[in-house]
Amino acid sequence: MRYCFSGHESFPCKSMWLKKGYDYLVGHNKFTDPDAVVKLGVGKNMVQSIRFWLRAFGLLSDDEVTKIASYLFDDNGGKDPYAEDNFTLWILHYLLVITEFSSIYRLVFVDLQREKKEFDKDQILAFIKRKCNVPDQKNTFNENTVKKDIRVLLQTYLSPTNPKTNEEYTSLLLELGLLRENEGKYSFNEISMEQVNPLVVLFALVHIAGEDKTVSFDKLQVLSLTFCIPISFFLMIVRSLSEQYPEEISYTDNSGIRNVQFLKKINTIEVLNRYYNNDEF
């Protein structure tokens, strides 16, 4: 997959944008319509940004809303239309990283975090430049574009230190507290087991497995990094899930080979129902 570092028009995703964009699309509108600016009530660049973020969060595919978008945001039965639940924010963060439509989120949370826990903007820039310096990514690196992408990522996860308006507090994922800043240095916040509902992890396991019945240790590490949970704690969550749902999921640790196996077919909507509806499998 070729990296993409543009499309957001330099706007982080605002807290109401996903709902606004979803409602616009299910109202039989298109982002390319001449009156999109009027109907959405935002500037032309923001129209493109809303479309970009819907795609980046895996809520839009070929300009059609996805199943999970309807599940969360629909006015008729949507579980969290305004993304007010912390559980929803964790799901959206996971989808943003794993979907890879906006490449920087996977590159930073997974690839960069493998190498270092603390960094500055120049180090992110140099890291991305290095990742782009391969034949498959020829011409994907533009310094100014990537700098803007870095700025948007930081605005997505960090509360402003010297805000000029309340608008700067409206980035969707601020509450997760995944990054912190100290005098121009940034670092990943280690997330404790208590901060993440185990069903978020189960959703991620089911989603990343796809049609496979097994989730490899490498993918478990990717999920650990995505959620900023140390791998030892992450495996404790996985183990507790296997104990809670022994007929659905099994965690194996034999001779250093660690993986997850699904004993029956589970889909992501079933996992979400477990949380939002308190349903049993």
Side-chain angles (χ1 to χ4, degrees):
M1 182 181 294
R2 284 180 62 79
Y3 297 145
C4 175
F5 302 104
S6 62
H8 44 63
E9 303 293 331
S10 297
F11 295 108
C13 185
K14 306 299 183 181
S15 57
M16 294 296 296
W17 277 8
L18 299 183
K19 171 63 173 168
K20 183 186 288 283
Y22 174 83
D23 287 347
Y24 178 76
L25 288 172
V26 297
H28 306 291
N29 301 294
K30 296 180 180 179
F31 285 111
T32 53
D33 289 345
D35 59 352
V37 169
V38 175
K39 287 186 175 181
L40 283 166
V42 297
K44 183 177 179 181
N45 287 353
M46 287 186 180
V47 171
Q48 297 307 315
S49 187
I50 291 171
R51 181 190 186 196
F52 169 88
W53 286 116
L54 283 167
R55 297 173 76 183
F57 281 105
L59 305 175
L60 187 63
S61 178
D62 296 327
D63 280 342
E64 296 290 334
V65 295
T66 60
K67 190 172 183 179
I68 193 168
S70 298
Y71 182 92
L72 291 172
F73 298 110
D74 199 74
D75 280 335
N76 298 315
K79 303 303 181 184
D80 190 11
Y82 301 102
E84 298 170 299
D85 194 314
N86 193 260
F87 183 92
T88 304
L89 299 183
W90 279 113
I91 295 296
L92 291 172
H93 164 72
Y94 163 78
L95 291 171
L96 178 60
V97 173
I98 296 299
T99 300
E100 293 188 72
F101 181 82
S102 186
S103 305
I104 195 170
Y105 295 90
R106 167 74 180 237
L107 285 168
V108 169
F109 278 96
V110 178
D111 298 337
L112 177 64
Q113 194 178 175
R114 285 189 197 272
E115 296 186 10
K116 56 183 67 182
K117 296 294 184 181
E118 186 177 88
F119 50 88
D120 59 27
K121 292 179 183 178
D122 289 338
Q123 287 173 316
I124 304 177
L125 185 68
F127 175 80
I128 292 175
K129 184 175 182 178
R130 172 160 58 87
K131 295 291 287 187
C132 292
N133 191 26
V134 294
D136 288 348
Q137 301 298 335
K138 186 177 180 181
N139 297 326
T140 58
F141 182 84
N142 176 282
E143 184 169 316
N144 289 332
T145 300
V146 174
K147 282 182 176 179
K148 291 178 183 177
D149 216 15
I150 292 169
R151 183 169 65 249
V152 168
L153 178 143
L154 294 174
Q155 290 173 334
T156 297
Y157 291 97
L158 281 170
S159 295
T161 52
N162 296 300
K164 296 179 181 177
T165 66
N166 289 335
E167 184 74 13
E168 295 179 52
Y169 287 102
T170 61
S171 293
L172 181 63
L173 301 179
L174 290 182
E175 289 184 27
L176 297 183
L178 291 175
L179 297 178
R180 62 176 179 265
E181 179 183 5
N182 183 24
E183 297 181 353
K185 287 283 188 177
Y186 305 92
S187 56
F188 299 99
N189 264 331
E190 281 195 0
I191 300 301
S192 68
M193 295 169 58
E194 294 75 22
Q195 290 175 268
V196 179
N197 188 300
L199 289 173
V200 170
V201 174
L202 184 58
F203 173 91
L205 289 170
V206 172
H207 186 274
I208 206 169
E211 296 301 316
D212 296 334
K213 293 182 178 180
T214 301
V215 179
S216 67
F217 182 65
D218 181 60
K219 288 185 177 180
L220 294 177
Q221 288 180 306
V222 167
L223 296 181
S224 167
L225 293 164
T226 296
F227 294 118
C228 297
I229 302 174
I231 187 63
S232 58
F233 293 148
F234 186 81
L235 294 178
M236 288 174 66
I237 298 174
V238 172
R239 189 178 294 110
S240 70
L241 285 168
S242 69
E243 294 170 353
Q244 186 173 2
Y245 305 111
E247 295 182 1
E248 289 84 25
I249 182 175
S250 172
Y251 172 66
T252 302
D253 185 351
N254 292 328
S255 303
I257 298 175
R258 291 169 285 186
N259 58 39
V260 167
Q261 292 188 340
F262 287 100
L263 307 178
K264 62 177 288 189
K265 183 67 175 178
I266 307 172
N267 64 53
T268 52
I269 298 300
E270 288 176 316
V271 178
L272 295 176
N273 283 337
R274 176 69 178 172
Y275 175 79
Y276 292 106
N277 296 345
N278 226 4
D279 287 352
E280 297 291 339
F281 288 143

